[in-house]
């Protein structure tokens, strides 16, 4: 039976298989490794909570500014989806609130694929061969076993004068589902107003990198 970490007796440590091992029997290098990992995780958990609190506070402050400007001056900031960019007066810092939508596809996508297969069977080889490659690539599920929304939606921008093509594109449109919406708070800075913006890194992979 596995012992809960908070019930491990004094003088023992629990190994990966749930066994109680006397600390005196554990190699010093393993103890040092355990101490380091626990210390880094403790610091990481604190940073994660600080970032979460910063994000919540940032969204609340931006929302408060939007409400204030609308109430006092009748000015509406931000787009229809909630996206908004705010800048300092000197143009050297900005804050962007962005709403990212995750798109999935309903069963109608299979109807679209069938219609396109039938369309390519009707078309002769030649000029349409390259288009067929593009379409088949769009429906490739890739390594993760999921359709790539950008490629599927890209098909709808192709100008193909064929009723069956339009029918397939309508089926794609009907299949679109907004699965979830994620909100982002991004900070950018630059030395002078004519320079390109640099994002302030708020994740470990980018922090401290140039």
């Amino acid at each position: 039976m596995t012992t809960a970490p908070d019930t491990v007796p004094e003088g023992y440590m629990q190994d990966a298989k749930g066994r109680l091992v006397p600390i005196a029997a554990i190699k010093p290098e393993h103890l040092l490794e355990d101490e380091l990992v626990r210390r880094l995780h403790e610091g990481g958990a604190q940073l994660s909570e600080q970032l979460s609190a910063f994000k919540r506070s940032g969204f609340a402050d931006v929302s408060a500014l939007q409400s204030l400007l609308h109430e006092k001056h009748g000015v509406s900031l931000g787009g229809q989806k909630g996206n908004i960019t705010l800048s300092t007066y000197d143009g050297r810092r900005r804050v962007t609130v962005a709403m990212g939508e995750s798109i999935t596809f309903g069963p109608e996508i299979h109807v679209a694929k069938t219609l396109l297969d039938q369309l390519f069977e009707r078309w002769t080889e030649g000029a349409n061969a390259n288009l067929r490659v593009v379409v088949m690539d769009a429906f490739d599920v890739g390594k993760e076993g999921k359709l790539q929304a950008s490629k599927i939606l890209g098909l709808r921008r192709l100008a193909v004068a064929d009723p069956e093509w339009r029918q397939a594109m309508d089926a794609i449109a009907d299949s679109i589902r907004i699965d979830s919406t994620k909100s982002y708070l991004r900070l950018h800075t630059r030395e002078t107003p004519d320079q390109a913006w640099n994002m302030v890194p708020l994740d470990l992979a980018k922090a401290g990198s140039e």
Side-chain angles (χ1 to χ4, degrees):
M1 182 178 67
T2 301
T3 303
D6 55 354
T7 61
V8 174
E10 185 177 355
Y12 288 84
M13 292 181 67
Q14 183 173 297
D15 67 9
K17 295 183 178 180
R19 298 171 300 193
L20 294 177
V21 180
I23 293 179
I26 300 175
K27 294 181 179 180
E29 58 267 31
H30 292 169
L31 292 174
L32 289 172
E33 179 181 351
D34 179 89
E35 180 185 1
L36 172 62
V37 172
R38 292 181 187 277
R39 176 161 48 83
L40 290 176
H41 265 269
E42 181 179 354
Q46 294 174 358
L47 284 175
S48 178
E49 177 53 36
Q50 290 174 5
L51 284 174
S52 296
F54 173 76
K55 182 178 179 180
R56 291 191 299 268
S57 175
F59 283 129
D61 290 343
V62 170
S63 178
L65 176 62
Q66 289 176 298
S67 299
L68 177 64
L69 292 179
H70 186 270
E71 178 182 348
K72 288 193 173 183
H73 306 285
V75 177
S76 296
L77 295 179
Q80 294 181 350
K81 294 185 178 181
N83 299 333
I84 182 175
T85 297
L86 305 172
S87 301
T88 55
Y89 193 67
D90 62 6
R92 296 175 56 195
R93 293 177 177 82
R94 75 179 186 188
V95 173
T96 301
V97 172
M99 310 300 290
E101 295 177 341
S102 176
I103 296 177
T104 57
F105 298 97
E108 298 88 350
I109 197 67
H110 301 295
V111 175
K113 177 64 164 52
T114 300
L115 289 172
L116 290 170
D117 285 337
Q118 294 173 353
L119 179 61
F120 287 124
E121 288 297 323
R122 178 170 60 82
W123 282 353
T124 58
E125 294 293 332
N128 295 318
N130 292 335
L131 179 59
R132 182 169 191 165
V133 172
V134 171
V135 172
M136 294 303 102
D137 178 66
F139 282 93
D140 182 14
V141 296
K143 295 181 180 180
E144 296 183 356
K146 296 181 180 180
L147 291 171
Q148 299 184 51
S150 60
K151 289 185 176 181
I152 295 291
L153 299 179
L155 297 178
R156 302 178 63 225
R157 294 193 292 269
L158 299 177
V160 178
D162 189 296
E164 288 188 40
W165 175 271
R166 297 311 316 164
Q167 186 179 0
M169 296 304 102
D170 290 341
I172 290 178
D174 292 339
S175 73
I176 296 173
R177 306 285 191 273
I178 303 301
D179 190 44
S180 62
T181 301
K182 294 183 179 180
S183 53
Y184 301 89
L185 182 68
R186 298 187 175 99
L187 309 180
H188 291 83
T189 184
R190 59 188 179 185
E191 291 299 320
T192 60
D194 58 345
Q195 290 183 339
W197 289 103
N198 294 311
M199 183 179 292
V200 178
L202 295 177
D203 63 81
L204 290 176
K206 297 180 180 178
S209 61
E210 296 294 338

